[in-house]
Amino acid sequence: MLTDIFTIIQKEMKEILLQRGSRRAGMLNMLLMVGVFGIFIPLQSASMWFDSPLFPIMWSWMPVFMTTWLVADAVAGERERHTLETLLASRLSDRAIYLGKLGAAVLYGFGMALTNLLVAAVTVNLIRFSADGLRFYPLDLFLALLVFTVLACGLLAGAGVLISLRAATARQAYQRLSIVLLALWLPLILGMQFLPASWKEALSRLFAGASASGILLIVSLVLLAIDAALVAAGLARFKRARLVIE
């Protein structure tokens, strides 16, 4: 089964790089993300990049959100291009196809985030080389950020594939996924603006004593539970007979 999952991952990654037939477009898209999130933004905040965990946390995995088109295309795009029937007619099991598509999305998003982290570290060191030598992220923060990124990619991929299963076209799936992401983020952003001052002070005191890596790991545990639920729902929903009928 692992071989079958890897086969689907290879297929999906080739399609990502080719971007519907244009390898140059796929490579330019990735280079643009690295240029913006791995070079340009770190240059703007170079003096604080290694001192404040907020910058690498906020910007390194931002390109993950730009992979929404990938998960939206996972099933709906195949259906739209009339390639879903061919895929379902293969000897590959439903579980292998689903996990392969999920794994490709996670791998792509995590790979982009890791690339941005490393390129940003090189960029900041090149322009701010000091007598203290080369600098890097604190090891605990770096490892926690990697775990968090994998699980964040899993959340996006799991939700995206479920939405793609019910969408007629990739555009429709992308729009629905964008609405879901907006519904998740807006309450967090706006909620902080309208919290009573006493609540904000209590939250500040709570997080003041915690390290950034500790907070990331706590959030990661929550994401792990959500990811597990999404994968279970996806496995239950991804059934060859139902997809052919639909």
Side-chain angles (χ1 to χ4, degrees):
M1 180 173 170
L2 289 177
T3 302
D4 292 342
I5 293 174
F6 185 66
T7 299
I8 295 295
I9 290 176
Q10 282 186 311
K11 167 192 170 295
E12 295 292 313
M13 294 304 292
K14 286 180 180 178
E15 291 182 358
I16 294 169
L17 293 176
L18 289 176
Q19 295 217 338
R20 296 189 180 183
S22 175
R23 182 180 297 274
R24 180 177 297 179
M27 295 302 296
L28 285 176
N29 182 55
M30 290 188 288
L31 289 174
L32 178 62
M33 284 195 284
V34 173
V36 172
F37 298 104
I39 298 176
F40 179 75
I41 291 175
L43 283 175
Q44 306 307 306
S45 52
S47 60
M48 301 180 63
W49 189 259
F50 292 120
D51 298 321
S52 173
L54 180 62
F55 289 102
I57 289 173
M58 181 169 57
W59 293 114
S60 64
W61 62 278
M62 188 63 70
V64 172
F65 285 106
M66 301 179 71
T67 64
T68 50
W69 64 268
L70 170 61
V71 291
D73 191 75
V75 178
E78 296 261 19
R79 184 183 291 121
E80 190 176 3
R81 295 189 296 275
H82 304 292
T83 57
L84 181 61
E85 293 83 359
T86 303
L87 181 62
L88 295 178
S90 68
R91 63 169 183 80
L92 301 172
S93 67
D94 296 346
R95 184 180 294 264
I97 295 172
Y98 170 77
L99 292 178
K101 287 183 171 292
L102 195 72
V106 172
L107 182 62
Y108 179 75
F110 175 73
M112 290 304 304
L114 178 59
T115 299
N116 285 328
L117 276 173
L118 298 178
V119 171
V122 172
T123 300
V124 174
N125 274 293
L126 284 176
I127 67 170
R128 295 193 61 83
F129 183 77
S130 66
D132 298 331
L134 299 177
R135 298 190 62 187
F136 196 67
Y137 311 98
L139 184 59
D140 59 338
L141 174 65
F142 183 67
L143 295 177
L145 187 53
L146 294 184
V147 172
F148 170 71
T149 302
V150 168
L151 294 173
C153 291
L155 174 65
L156 180 63
V161 173
L162 276 176
I163 291 172
S164 186
L165 283 168
R166 297 177 178 273
T169 65
R171 180 186 294 274
Q172 185 183 76
Y174 177 79
Q175 291 172 341
R176 291 178 180 178
L177 182 57
S178 298
I179 292 172
V180 170
L181 292 175
L182 193 62
L184 289 173
W185 279 106
L186 271 184
L188 292 176
I189 297 171
L190 297 179
M192 290 300 297
Q193 304 297 322
F194 296 103
L195 280 178
S198 58
W199 288 28
K200 290 181 181 180
E201 292 177 4
L203 287 173
S204 298
R205 288 194 298 269
L206 176 64
F207 288 108
S211 66
S213 58
I215 295 173
L216 281 177
L217 288 176
I218 292 173
V219 174
S220 295
L221 289 175
V222 176
L223 288 177
L224 179 61
I226 298 174
D227 287 356
L230 287 173
V231 170
L235 288 171
R237 180 70 179 78
F238 197 98
K239 299 299 182 185
R240 192 171 310 224
R242 294 179 63 180
L243 290 173
V244 170
I245 292 174
E246 292 175 354

